[in-house]
Amino acid sequence: TLSAAISACEKAGEWENALQLFCWMAQRKVESNTITLNAAISACEKGGNWKQALQLLRMMIESKMELDTITCSAAISACKKCGEWQRALWLFNMMAKNMVECDSISFNALISSWDMVSQWEKALKLCSVMAQRYVECGSITCSAAISACEERGEWSQALRFFGAMAQSKVGFDEVPCSATISACEKGGEWAMALQLLHTMSAAKVESGRITLSAAISACEKAGEW
């Protein structure tokens, strides 16, 4: 079927072909269902086509189709990729209004979109909402939250999120480590910065120039040369 073909293209990363098939269906007035539109919106997300994703979502609402978490999360991710954080927030609020469950993917996308535009206060507040709703924080969420803390110089908050990553056995790379060390550097916590370097070494995470520079700067500020 055409729905299966669109889904196959979307899963294979052939988002342009998926959208072409969907447009072909629309031109010939072939009725779309939730599965078809979900696949088309996911294809838009992969291609960073947020305008098309929102247009398809409005089509679902106007047709009184049932919205689900996958559909809305894909649309939020599409907005995030294009830096459209205000539209991502509108979608997130729309999920709550329509009683669509927000999962870690939708939270991750919104938090990451705020981190991209230095909206760290909003990112941290949303992390608190995740904790209240017992939504698991993944590596993307924690990394975005740590980056938000680093921007503000909140080293203790950055450490809390880093600790959450370690406790939940979420895999981490240099990005959250570097951001946490930078937060410690801004807070003058040279000992903690060095401890994090040891943690990176034990976890076999490579320390790049930015990470090492932040740790050295922390020691320099504290006179630990």
Side-chain angles (χ1 to χ4, degrees):
T1 63
L2 288 171
S3 294
I6 291 172
S7 295
C9 289
E10 181 268 322
K11 288 177 182 176
E14 297 289 337
W15 62 271
E16 290 176 319
N17 288 333
L19 288 179
Q20 285 176 3
L21 279 171
F22 183 82
C23 290
W24 186 89
M25 287 179 64
Q27 288 170 1
R28 284 155 181 78
K29 297 182 179 180
V30 178
E31 187 176 354
S32 301
N33 55 30
T34 303
I35 296 172
T36 309
L37 284 161
N38 276 354
I41 290 172
S42 293
C44 292
E45 183 266 325
K46 286 185 170 69
N49 193 336
W50 65 270
K51 289 183 179 179
Q52 185 70 38
L54 290 185
Q55 186 177 338
L56 293 173
L57 199 62
R58 288 194 184 97
M59 186 187 298
M60 292 184 73
I61 294 171
E62 289 169 2
S63 300
K64 296 182 180 180
M65 292 184 183
E66 186 178 355
L67 300 177
D68 60 19
T69 305
I70 296 172
T71 309
C72 297
S73 294
I76 290 173
S77 294
C79 293
K80 181 211 76 172
K81 286 184 177 180
C82 299
E84 295 289 335
W85 68 269
Q86 291 174 317
R87 286 181 172 83
L89 176 60
W90 177 82
L91 285 167
F92 188 85
N93 290 333
M94 185 270 295
M95 289 177 73
K97 184 178 179 181
N98 288 274
M99 292 183 288
V100 179
E101 183 181 0
C102 298
D103 63 0
S104 59
I105 296 173
S106 48
F107 274 104
N108 285 345
L110 187 55
I111 290 171
S112 295
S113 69
W114 280 336
D115 179 50
M116 288 168 66
V117 291
S118 299
Q119 295 283 336
W120 49 266
E121 287 182 326
K122 291 183 175 68
L124 292 179
K125 284 180 181 177
L126 198 57
C127 285
S128 298
V129 173
M130 287 185 74
Q132 292 169 5
R133 297 187 185 180
Y134 300 100
V135 178
E136 183 180 356
C137 287
S139 58
I140 297 173
T141 306
C142 289
S143 294
I146 289 169
S147 294
C149 292
E150 187 265 331
E151 286 286 333
R152 189 183 179 187
E154 293 283 352
W155 65 270
S156 58
Q157 283 276 55
L159 284 175
R160 184 168 69 85
F161 284 113
F162 189 84
M165 290 181 75
Q167 288 177 6
S168 60
K169 297 180 180 180
V170 174
F172 56 84
D173 54 20
E174 189 189 359
V175 176
C177 295
S178 180
T180 308
I181 289 173
S182 293
C184 290
E185 181 261 330
K186 288 180 180 178
E189 295 293 323
W190 65 271
M192 192 60 70
L194 291 182
Q195 186 176 329
L196 284 167
L197 276 179
H198 288 303
T199 300
M200 289 179 68
S201 178
K204 297 181 180 180
V205 177
E206 185 178 353
S207 301
R209 182 178 59 83
I210 296 174
T211 305
L212 293 172
S213 295
I216 291 169
S217 178
C219 294
E220 179 190 10
K221 286 182 179 179
E224 295 292 330
W225 55 273

